[in-house]
Amino acid sequence: MRAAVVTSFGGPEAVRVDEVEVPEPGAGQVRIKVAATALNPVDVGLREGVFGGEGQTVGLGWDVAGTVDAGGAAAGWGAGDEVVALHHCMVKPLGAHAEYVVVPADAVARAPRTADAVHAATLPLNALTAAQALDLLALPAGGSLLVTGAAGAVGGYAVQLAAHRGITVTALAREDDEELVRSLGAAHFAGGRVEAGGFDAVLDAAVLGGRALAWVRDGGAYAGVIPGAEPAPERGVRVAAVEVVADGARLAELVRLADEGVLTLRVAETYPLADVVKAHARLAEGGVRGRLVLVP
Ligand SMILES: NC(=O)c1ccc[n+]([C@@H]2O[C@H](COP(=O)([O-])OP(=O)(O)OC[C@H]3O[C@@H](n4cnc5c(N)ncnc54)[C@H](OP(=O)(O)O)[C@@H]3O)[C@@H](O)[C@H]2O)c1
């Protein structure tokens, strides 16, 4: 089968499509025939060597939508089931940017009924990250939340999930994104100046760090998205960073919310897997809203 890998770190041109063995599922694993797989910032980090793996073959791709192909019977999966999954792909030889991927059975959820595979592939990584970041903040309904990077994939899902829970969301995004983030459920828009200490919590999907921490009220909560890069706690603010965990049951809840129209699956463009370098180059240009999705 074909799979996107890097063996030498660098820019978009460092990505190669190699011919590799189809992976075999072991006990407790499912093999998925990939129908669509999103390209995320973490794949850029892997490509550039941010997460290490020098001298190894590093697979790319965390998000998968496709059909069960082998394995998973003990967990109730059967060949042909339409599914989505998070493939936790931190420096592994094979990612989901491939024709087949093997994941733990408990990372898999039934695919949305209301979306095609291309749209479904935008859900697992970023909706799980948003949900797990909101867990860290533990804000009750009626609380106030500032989401930075609200027009992005993590930020957008966070706005929608928080608004759905009755949290009052202020979205910090580029001026041009005001209409978008309001359509996702942000009650307020912060394009420029933000009031210090004005929020019960901040979910910092734009990785603004100490600047974003200053917007949390004394004793509030801050959630970052880059473990190890979160700012030092101050003024009694709880500081944590989300590290996404594959969780099929939680993903099934997020699929339900997508089917109910609570979560919007945003696709910018699709590329055949053979054009993976072009997709990386497009992401590097910036200004992409919605995900770039590869189709093997
Ligand atoms: N820890 C984990 O488990 C985990 C999981 C998933 C993602 N992440 C991380 O979470 C971050 C967000 O991921 P993503 O997929 O949501 O990225 P994304 O789709 O690129 O979204 C980031 C958004 O933030 C905006 N932004 C950046 N700086 C800004 C600023 N100063 N003011 C206003 N908006 C700003 C960007 O706008 P422009 O495009 O115009 O710059 C973009 O809309 C990434 O760093 C990613 O690696 C972590």
Side-chain angles (χ1 to χ4, degrees), residues 41 129 149 152-154 172 174 205 208 225-226 242-244 289 291:
T129 302
V154 173
L172 188 142
R174 309 284 184 198
L208 304 182
V225 293
I226 308 288
V242 66
E243 191 155 14
V244 72
R289 293 295 179 264
R291 222 64 315 177

Side-chain angles (χ1 to χ4, degrees), residues 40-42 51 62 125-126 129 148-156 172-174 177 204-208 211 224-227 241-245 283 286-291:
N40 288 290
V42 67
F51 306 109
W62 291 55
L125 172 63
N126 297 302
T129 302
T148 76
V154 173
L172 188 142
R174 309 284 184 198
D177 289 321
D204 190 16
V207 199
L208 304 182
R211 201 147 67 88
V225 293
I226 308 288
V242 66
E243 191 155 14
V244 72
V245 175
L283 191 58
V288 176
R289 293 295 179 264
R291 222 64 315 177

Side-chain angles (χ1 to χ4, degrees), residues 16 48 52 88 94 127 130 143 159 190-191 214 237 245 263 267 274 285:
R16 289 203 327 250
E48 292 176 339
H88 202 290
L94 265 184
V159 169
V237 175
V245 175
L263 295 179
V267 173
E285 279 171 17

Side-chain angles (χ1 to χ4, degrees), residues 7 84 87 126 152 221 240 260:
T7 50
V84 287
H87 174 52
N126 297 302
E260 290 172 0

Side-chain angles (χ1 to χ4, degrees), residues 2-289:
R2 292 168 305 129
V5 301
V6 290
T7 50
S8 155
F9 302 132
E13 68 292 339
V15 182
R16 289 203 327 250
V17 178
D18 271 6
E19 202 53 51
V20 301
E21 293 285 312
V22 175
E24 288 302 326
Q29 293 183 320
V30 177
R31 184 167 69 206
I32 299 171
K33 183 175 191 327
V34 180
T37 173
L39 174 59
N40 288 290
V42 67
D43 299 309
V44 175
L46 285 162
R47 184 195 82 205
E48 292 176 339
V50 171
F51 306 109
E54 184 69 51
Q56 300 172 33
T57 297
V58 176
L60 305 177
W62 291 55
D63 272 322
V64 55
T67 48
V68 171
D69 171 67
W77 296 113
D81 287 346
E82 294 187 359
V83 295
V84 287
L86 172 67
H87 174 52
H88 202 290
C89 188
M90 195 53 90
V91 192
K92 293 182 179 168
L94 265 184
H97 294 172
E99 291 181 83
Y100 295 88
V101 64
V102 167
V103 297
D106 60 8
V108 179
R110 207 161 283 281
R113 283 177 290 101
T114 55
D116 60 18
V118 166
H119 286 80
T122 65
L123 186 72
L125 172 63
N126 297 302
L128 280 169
T129 302
Q132 292 168 5
L134 289 172
D135 291 349
L136 294 176
L137 295 172
L139 263 183
S144 61
L145 172 69
L146 177 72
V147 177
T148 76
V154 173
Y157 285 133
V159 169
Q160 291 192 305
L161 288 170
H164 183 64
R165 291 180 195 175
I167 292 165
T168 304
V169 180
T170 298
L172 188 142
R174 309 284 184 198
E175 296 290 346
D176 286 353
D177 289 321
E178 176 168 358
E179 196 181 321
L180 166 66
V181 295
R182 285 191 186 276
S183 78
L184 298 176
H188 307 287
F189 179 73
R193 246 177 199 292
V194 184
E195 188 197 340
F199 299 91
D200 294 326
V202 169
L203 197 168
D204 190 16
V207 199
L208 304 182
R211 201 147 67 88
L213 180 63
W215 297 327
V216 183
R217 67 162 169 80
D218 295 0
Y222 167 98
V225 293
I226 308 288
E230 56 274 36
E234 59 180 36
R235 300 177 289 108
V237 175
R238 275 190 302 115
V239 172
V242 66
E243 191 155 14
V244 72
V245 175
D247 180 342
R250 193 73 186 277
L251 183 55
E253 285 172 32
L254 296 164
V255 165
R256 180 177 56 78
L257 292 175
D259 278 334
E260 290 172 0
V262 174
L263 295 179
T264 311
L265 308 174
R266 292 182 292 147
V267 173
E269 292 170 52
T270 60
Y271 291 81
L273 180 62
D275 285 344
V276 63
V277 171
K278 285 186 189 160
H280 277 254
R282 174 66 193 94
L283 191 58
E285 279 171 17
V288 176
R289 293 295 179 264

